[in-house]
Amino acid sequence: MSRSRLALRPRLGLALSGVTLVILAVLLPGRAEAQFGFRGGPLGVARFAVGHMIGMSRLRHARMAVRGSRYRSAALRSQDPRGAERGQPANPYVLRAAMTAQAALSGWRGGRRPQGWWRHPDGSYGWVGPVFWPFAHDDLTTAIILGDTTSLSLYGYGDIYAAIFAPYAATELAAYTTPQGRRGRRVPTAETVCDASDTGGLPVDRIAAAVQPNELQRTALDELATAWASARDTIRAACPTQVPAMAIERLGLMRERIEAMIKATDAVAPSLAKFLDLLDDDQKAKLDGLAKERRAALASIQQKNPEAASACQADSDPRYDEKLQRQYEQLVQQQWPAAEIASTLKLDDTARARLDVLQDTTLRTMETLSACPSQAPPTPQARLTAVKARLQTMLQAVNGVSDALDDFEADLSDEQKAGFEAIGPKRGV
């Protein structure tokens, strides 16, 4: 092959990529609208499909970190995800994305690729092997105390879809639940993931430094810290120990994890109310300063990434933003292979109708669990109430999908169920 033809390849690849992006920009809005039945035209589809896009440049850096193996499985050992690297304050979202990507892709046959289709828009993962919501306790702390619901808001349709069409084969999932043994293990255990990703806890020292509590208030703060630690243990207890071989089992794991998070919010509510009731107005204002610091940090990120900041706004137009177009590609990857399922499983009319109900039920969660976060309430107690309401909405969605899946599989043979389970791993190849 001549050198001129070899030199032409990269240019041709770039040209084809450009054409692909143009096609995505023009065709995907209508295609997604037809597939998912959204109202509001292309922009309405975009707001649901793209989700919250804060810091997409951070996703690029996280991918580079994973490619360069800067974050090995050893990085999943206990550490505060808000810690520092090389003496510099770490961006918690970059570290989160790198940690979960390394863990989520290490057991996947497509792990040689820089990303998985079931990732969140910020580059992190809602599923790491059999573990759903690895940063559950940390997300509760960040949302309730610091008023930042960025990560919490990203959980929704994509995670439910990944539970139904798991990208992992059974042997790949099994690697996450086998005991730690040999040196240099590549796949972290589920227990390691659950322990390593929820170590932040209640920022007692920061709270104490902000409000300067008296002796009575300090005692109440210590009680709150104890309740917070107990809530963490409640969530950790919901860490899976068995391999979920079926979609209905994976939805069950989601349900158990969300129920544990709701139970955790109930457990800390009395201690949180007691501590806040002992603070005077000036101390409450200083405590709110922690949330203001977090908002200021997010605003700084958004100023550096204006495309990310506008993604959830009504006038955001993905046709002119390459990053948003990439999210459309992810949406297409999460379209339902209904025709493939019906053909592979040789469904009769009754089973096909039940499949339609399952698909419609799941797609509705894209609206009820919008990835665009609402304005956080001004007080920790109000934020706790809002977080619990979000979790209850998600639990209701998971239960609805689980019921629809149970109905769909009720009359399927074992062979048909096995064929259905094989759909997900094939889509990840």
Side-chain angles (χ1 to χ4, degrees), residues 156-191:
Y157 168 77
D159 304 296
I160 296 175
Y161 183 97
I164 298 174
F165 302 106
Y168 302 96
T171 54
E172 295 161 354
L173 279 177
Y176 287 93
T177 56
T178 54
Q180 288 278 15
R182 62 186 183 278
R183 188 176 180 181
R185 177 188 176 93
R186 189 172 70 90
V187 181
T189 63
E191 182 181 7

Side-chain angles (χ1 to χ4, degrees), residues 125-423:
Y125 285 75
W127 281 97
V128 175
V131 179
F132 172 64
W133 211 318
F135 282 88
H137 184 254
D138 193 68
D139 281 348
L140 293 183
T141 303
T142 304
I144 295 169
I145 302 300
L146 302 180
D148 178 6
T149 61
T150 302
S151 298
L152 186 146
S153 67
L154 297 179
Y155 283 85
Y157 168 77
D159 304 296
I160 296 175
Y161 183 97
I164 298 174
F165 302 106
Y168 302 96
T171 54
E172 295 161 354
L173 279 177
Y176 287 93
T177 56
T178 54
Q180 288 278 15
R182 62 186 183 278
R183 188 176 180 181
R185 177 188 176 93
R186 189 172 70 90
V187 181
T189 63
E191 182 181 7
T192 300
V193 174
C194 291
D195 288 346
S197 57
D198 284 334
T199 59
L202 186 72
V204 176
D205 292 341
R206 292 182 64 191
I207 294 174
V211 305
Q212 295 295 308
N214 58 34
E215 184 175 350
L216 183 61
Q217 293 167 340
R218 180 67 206 210
T219 299
L221 178 56
D222 290 340
E223 291 176 0
L224 175 59
T226 300
W228 217 272
S230 178
R232 176 197 60 204
D233 293 340
T234 297
I235 295 173
R236 284 183 178 176
C239 189
T241 57
Q242 302 294 325
V243 177
M246 307 290 289
I248 196 69
E249 296 173 357
R250 292 187 290 272
L251 289 170
L253 290 177
M254 292 186 74
R255 179 169 55 250
E256 292 174 9
R257 194 77 164 165
I258 297 171
E259 287 175 342
M261 294 176 72
I262 293 174
K263 186 176 179 180
T265 62
D266 289 337
V268 301
S271 298
L272 179 63
K274 178 181 177 180
F275 172 65
L276 295 176
D277 287 343
L278 291 173
L279 301 181
D280 58 35
D281 291 341
D282 183 58
Q283 288 175 310
K284 290 179 180 179
K286 291 179 179 178
L287 180 61
D288 185 54
L290 299 180
K292 290 181 179 178
E293 290 176 7
R294 186 76 171 198
R295 288 194 293 270
L298 288 175
S300 176
I301 293 173
Q302 292 172 357
Q303 287 176 358
K304 296 177 183 178
N305 300 277
E307 301 91 346
S310 65
C312 283
Q313 298 175 1
D315 59 352
S316 175
D317 193 337
R319 292 174 296 173
Y320 308 111
D321 191 317
E322 181 179 332
K323 295 172 184 176
L324 299 184
Q325 290 165 5
R326 290 173 185 166
Q327 294 306 301
Y328 273 129
E329 294 182 58
Q330 184 179 357
L331 175 65
V332 170
Q333 288 178 307
Q334 293 179 358
Q335 288 192 59
W336 276 67
E340 179 183 358
I341 294 172
S343 174
T344 301
L345 275 59
K346 297 180 173 56
L347 299 180
D348 58 24
D349 291 343
T350 300
R352 183 58 194 262
R354 289 175 176 173
L355 176 62
D356 290 341
V357 171
L358 172 60
Q359 178 179 352
D360 293 343
T361 302
T362 307
L363 290 174
R364 279 198 296 271
T365 67
M366 195 179 289
E367 296 188 62
T368 58
L369 297 170
S370 172
C372 289
S374 57
Q375 186 69 31
T379 68
Q381 283 176 294
R383 292 195 288 267
L384 185 148
T385 300
V387 166
K388 181 179 177 180
R390 168 78 182 194
L391 293 172
Q392 288 175 326
T393 299
M394 189 164 190
L395 179 61
Q396 184 177 6
V398 170
N399 285 336
V401 173
S402 182
D403 289 342
L405 176 61
D406 196 38
D407 288 342
F408 167 64
E409 293 188 330
D411 295 326
L412 296 185
S413 67
D414 290 342
E415 182 180 359
Q416 286 175 310
K417 290 178 181 178
F420 183 73
E421 289 298 327
I423 296 290

